[in-house]
Amino acid sequence: MSATLTSRLGRLDAIAADRGLTLEADAPLAPLTTLRVGGPADRLVAPDSLDDLVRAVEAALDAGVPYFILGKGSDLVVADAGIRGLVIRPRAGEAAIDGTRLRAEAGASMTGLAKRCARDGLAGFDWAISIPGSFGGAIWANAGAHGGEIADVVTEVEVFDPGDRARHRLTRDDCGFGYRESRFKHGAEVVLSGELALGRGDPAEITALVDGHQARRRATQPLADQNAGSVFRNPSGDHAGRLVEAAGLKGHRIGTARVSELHANFIVADRGAGRAADVRALGDHVRATVAQRFGVELEYEIAFVGAWDERVGR
């Protein structure tokens, strides 16, 4: 770690204490991700309100420290050297239903919201049961499953803009949604909350859909293994898993990581011993092999975050 960053982290500690924010130093991040690999965060804060979430971002800005928003820890691989600066893990997860409208804060669980909608007879969100991340992360990624995605149902997104340090409300059309894409992947805005427009349905029928999605997921995905979700985006007109399997890569291993034998678009890490570097090396090998065999350039759906250019044991 550079002397400059060390100094700025000291300033961050002082600012956070002054603003009532509790920071954890050298916080392990692997237990906070579904893949369970990677090193620590220099500092970690878990704000349980949207106001504190904004305060945490502002504290990082005022200290000149980089920050990273971590949801439920799916769809990402944290570098073995960890993440420099401040990791913010939103825990603000309040949700309210008004008629067929659902408004939820960024830290809400997608699976929890899907179950609540089923119980309350709100249709059009059953697919979310298969998204293991947070509501804010789902908006950020335009997450989807079973033919549905966030862009289909979201009407409004509330963000905090670090540029003018103000909150703004965006319409769906403002969000730049595409296949696993949004404007939030390419800017600095922090997703705070969102509103969904759903339909009316029979709770029993919606619950049956949810149960069916869960059963299919358990049967086809390596949920018992440490994984980060689908590794690659599906190329147009095809499926990444089909291409990886056709390339003969099911079960292929590099170090502590292997391609799942159950679903070829998943990379799983050895329990208790996984290394992020092995996951990335295996992903790159899969991409190169598929490109060589079929001329298809697979794009990562998972994100590689943190200090990939630093050695472990800094």
Side-chain angles (χ1 to χ4, degrees):
M1 185 189 306
S2 70
T4 299
L5 180 55
T6 299
S7 174
R8 290 179 178 177
L9 287 170
R11 175 166 169 74
L12 175 64
D13 291 336
I15 292 173
D18 185 60
R19 299 179 187 178
L21 298 171
T22 301
L23 305 188
E24 181 182 352
D26 296 318
L29 293 178
L32 305 182
T33 73
T34 60
L35 187 59
R36 296 188 174 274
V37 303
D42 290 332
R43 299 292 187 274
L44 174 70
V45 63
D48 56 12
S49 72
L50 295 184
D51 287 343
D52 279 348
L53 172 53
V54 170
R55 288 190 189 99
V57 174
E58 290 181 322
L61 294 172
D62 292 339
V65 169
Y67 63 90
F68 176 77
I69 308 296
L70 175 69
K72 300 295 184 185
S74 61
D75 296 325
L76 56 80
V77 184
V78 175
D80 292 312
I83 299 179
R84 302 287 70 78
L86 176 65
V87 172
I88 303 172
R89 188 176 186 232
R91 300 185 68 178
E94 293 296 317
I97 293 174
D98 182 9
T100 56
R101 299 273 172 163
L102 169 68
R103 176 167 286 277
E105 295 177 337
S109 159
M110 285 288 282
T111 56
L113 292 175
K115 291 177 181 178
R116 179 172 178 180
C117 287
R119 185 176 65 246
D120 290 358
L122 291 183
F125 203 56
D126 52 275
W127 54 268
I129 195 67
S130 295
I131 307 298
S134 67
F135 185 58
I139 292 173
W140 180 86
N142 187 23
H146 311 297
E149 62 182 14
I150 281 288
D152 296 335
V153 292
V154 72
T155 59
E156 182 180 274
V157 177
E158 181 189 10
V159 301
F160 174 72
D161 186 341
D164 61 11
R165 300 206 180 190
R167 298 189 191 191
H168 302 279
R169 293 185 184 276
L170 308 176
T171 68
R172 172 173 46 201
D173 291 343
D174 294 328
C175 294
F177 288 126
Y179 174 58
R180 304 299 176 262
E181 272 292 340
S182 76
R183 69 186 271 172
F184 312 114
K185 282 192 170 186
H186 309 286
E189 294 162 321
V190 177
V191 175
L192 299 179
S193 67
E195 182 178 274
L196 308 182
L198 302 171
R200 271 291 163 213
D202 178 69
E205 292 179 0
I206 301 169
T207 298
L209 284 174
V210 166
D211 291 345
H213 295 326
Q214 285 185 303
R216 179 182 175 189
R217 187 165 176 254
R218 284 193 293 267
T220 60
Q221 297 181 12
L223 303 185
D225 295 315
Q226 296 174 178
N227 72 84
S230 296
V231 176
F232 303 107
R233 300 182 181 189
N234 287 325
S236 179
D238 208 338
H239 294 278
R242 188 199 72 78
L243 290 166
V244 177
E245 183 173 357
L249 292 170
K250 264 191 172 182
H252 188 82
R253 172 181 288 273
I254 291 181
T256 62
R258 76 179 192 281
V259 177
S260 170
E261 294 88 348
L262 185 61
H263 193 310
N265 198 21
F266 284 73
I267 290 176
V268 299
D270 288 352
R271 192 169 298 276
R275 296 184 67 250
D278 293 338
V279 173
R280 188 163 194 169
L282 180 55
D284 289 346
H285 174 74
V286 168
R287 291 185 73 222
T289 303
V290 168
Q292 182 181 38
R293 288 283 306 275
F294 307 114
V296 177
E297 296 284 346
L298 292 177
E299 296 181 42
Y300 279 115
E301 184 168 323
I302 56 175
F304 295 93
V305 301
W308 285 91
D309 56 348
E310 292 187 19
R311 292 183 179 180
V312 178
R314 57 186 171 84

